[in-house]
Amino acid sequence: MPWTIETIHPLLVHFPISLFSMGLLFDILAQILKKDDLALVGFWTMCMALISSLFTIISGLIAFLNQGSFFDLLYFTHGVLQLIAILILFILFVIRIRFQIDLRYSIVKRNIYFSLHIIAVCILFYAAHLGAITAGRI
């Protein structure tokens, strides 16, 4: 059977990776170019990235549980780092909604937000790399 969860998961991972990175790019461009429209695009891109992450995490968890036990997940660096990155990005999304005015007018808070956003996307990239190694694609 060509369509198994092990074959679907690698297809799904590209959506949150590209959406989170593009959302960050739109946000950075919005700050540089002072364009609110780009910030709005960044917001919705981040929202779609979080939604697509749910499907990716679920498919990855099912694929992992087909190979190992739930307790082995703590030792699976790829999965743990992905969950950490998505959790940070989810928290940043909530902060973005709740403290929109603070982020707009406080340079310090905005710089902290962008720093955490960049770190989370870098963790996401590294964890995706580990996943490709685990799957034997690299």
Side-chain angles (χ1 to χ4, degrees):
M1 182 170 165
W3 295 102
T4 64
I5 201 70
E6 287 83 6
T7 59
I8 292 173
H9 177 70
L11 300 174
L12 294 177
V13 299
H14 296 93
F15 290 101
I17 293 168
S18 62
L19 288 169
F20 278 125
S21 57
M22 289 308 297
L24 176 61
L25 177 65
F26 285 130
D27 288 341
I28 291 171
L29 287 174
Q31 290 301 311
I32 292 170
L33 301 175
K34 306 289 186 222
K35 300 281 186 183
D36 289 337
D37 291 346
L38 289 173
L40 188 61
V41 172
F43 173 84
W44 286 109
T45 305
M46 191 174 191
C47 179
M48 293 307 297
L50 287 167
I51 292 169
S52 67
S53 294
L54 290 174
F55 296 104
T56 306
I57 290 169
I58 290 168
S59 68
L61 188 59
I62 292 169
F64 180 81
L65 293 176
N66 285 342
Q67 304 292 321
S69 75
F70 189 75
F71 296 107
D72 294 334
L73 188 60
L74 296 174
Y75 305 105
F76 189 47
T77 309
H78 159 67
V80 171
L81 285 177
Q82 288 291 18
L83 290 174
I84 289 169
I86 299 302
L87 180 63
I88 293 170
L89 290 161
F90 175 74
I91 291 168
L92 288 174
F93 188 71
V94 171
I95 287 171
R96 184 177 186 153
I97 293 170
R98 290 217 31 161
F99 301 103
Q100 182 179 12
I101 301 298
D102 290 344
L103 292 173
R104 185 178 187 104
Y105 295 109
S106 172
I107 294 171
V108 173
K109 291 177 184 176
R110 187 171 51 244
N111 287 341
I112 292 170
Y113 174 86
F114 277 118
S115 297
L116 291 172
H117 198 163
I118 290 167
I119 289 168
V121 169
C122 288
I123 293 170
L124 188 75
F125 283 176
Y126 178 66
H129 173 72
L130 292 178
I133 290 172
T134 302
R137 290 183 171 82
I138 292 181

